[in-house]
Amino acid sequence: MIAFRALAVLAAVAGALANPLQARQANNTNVDIHDIVSVLDMQIHINIPNILTLQANHTATDGTIGTQVNELITAFDAAHDALLNTPVSSGSTTEKPTNDDISVIFGDVMQLVATGLSGLTPAVVPSFTTIVARLDPSVSAAATQLNTTLPGSINFVHTLMLDAQQFLVKEGTWPMTLAALGF
Ligand SMILES: *[C@@H]1O[C@H](CO)[C@@H](O)[C@H](O)[C@H]1NC(C)=O
Ligand SMILES: *[C@@H]1O[C@H](CO)[C@@H](O)[C@H](O)[C@H]1NC(C)=O
Ligand SMILES: *[C@@H]1O[C@H](CO)[C@@H](O)[C@H](O)[C@H]1NC(C)=O
């Protein structure tokens, strides 16, 4: 009887301990993260070509570029909010979408943003520096949140950005984003 009671107490203690441990166990939310980053990537593939067209067409102005940049800010803010509302992923290196699949998409986003704005100068778009500087907090917040929701995912993005980060450095308006990417 005493042994049974001791066992019951032990079981209850073990149960109380096991639950918080279980709750802390992260699930693989890579599918959700992949969807969020893919939606962002699709939007970047609309705005960056628009910016290049405006530039080639000599219709790049504070107004036309500002509109595209506003849409980019909205897209990065939406990605940040969606990632913030996604449980931290345990990730996977084997199950699709893998951690690397997600980093590759975000790396593509970052490369397009870095190179797509590099042809614009204040000679063409007088407020260029101010307009582009508005992107920095939104892009860096999305990158930092991605690295939280899928821990360490920015490490591979950093590697993918080794070449293109020079454009961010040259534009001079990306201190927060460069830091968020580990540069
Ligand atoms: C993981 O998923 C299980 C089952 O859906 C759930 O009970 C648990 O709370 C989840 N863990 C986290 C950390 O969200
Ligand atoms: C290109 O420029 C012309 C003349 O300024 C304008 O009518 C046209 O809408 C522009 N196209 C694009 C894609 O910006
Ligand atoms: C991304 O997260 C990893 C681990 O979660 C961390 O070691 C790394 O410093 C973070 N990267 C940046 C640029 O903050």
Side-chain angles (χ1 to χ4, degrees):
M1 185 65 188
I2 288 167
F4 173 78
R5 249 206 242 145
L7 213 64
V9 166
L10 213 66
V13 168
L17 285 175
N19 283 336
L21 286 178
Q22 244 165 22
R24 251 182 274 135
Q25 189 107 51
N27 297 313
N28 182 359
T29 56
N30 276 13
V31 169
D32 295 330
I33 297 168
H34 183 263
D35 284 350
I36 294 164
V37 173
S38 295
V39 167
L40 175 64
D41 193 38
M42 279 190 277
Q43 189 60 44
I44 304 305
H45 275 89
I46 293 170
N47 295 116
I48 296 298
N50 282 351
I51 288 170
L52 296 176
T53 302
L54 289 167
Q55 196 184 321
N57 199 25
H58 304 293
T59 45
T61 63
D62 280 355
T64 58
I65 296 297
T67 300
Q68 299 301 319
V69 168
N70 286 344
E71 288 184 18
L72 288 172
I73 289 172
T74 301
F76 278 101
D77 287 350
H80 167 268
D81 292 352
L83 288 169
L84 184 66
N85 290 318
T86 302
V88 169
S89 185
S90 56
S92 177
T93 55
T94 51
E95 203 180 312
K96 290 261 162 199
T98 65
N99 303 345
D100 282 0
D101 290 340
I102 291 166
S103 296
V104 164
I105 297 171
F106 198 79
D108 181 57
V109 165
M110 286 313 310
Q111 283 172 10
L112 274 174
V113 168
T115 57
L117 296 165
S118 65
L120 294 168
T121 63
V124 179
V125 181
S127 304
F128 174 70
T129 306
T130 315
I131 290 170
V132 173
R134 287 196 290 116
L135 269 166
D136 192 34
S138 294
V139 174
S140 64
T144 300
Q145 188 58 49
L146 176 63
N147 202 40
T148 300
T149 307
L150 181 56
S153 53
I154 285 298
N155 292 349
F156 188 37
V157 176
H158 173 98
T159 304
L160 296 171
M161 281 296 288
L162 284 175
D163 284 337
Q165 59 101 12
Q166 65 183 294
F167 294 106
L168 298 178
V169 172
K170 209 174 121 217
E171 282 159 28
T173 55
W174 298 98
M176 295 167 78
T177 297
L178 284 164
L181 298 178
F183 291 105

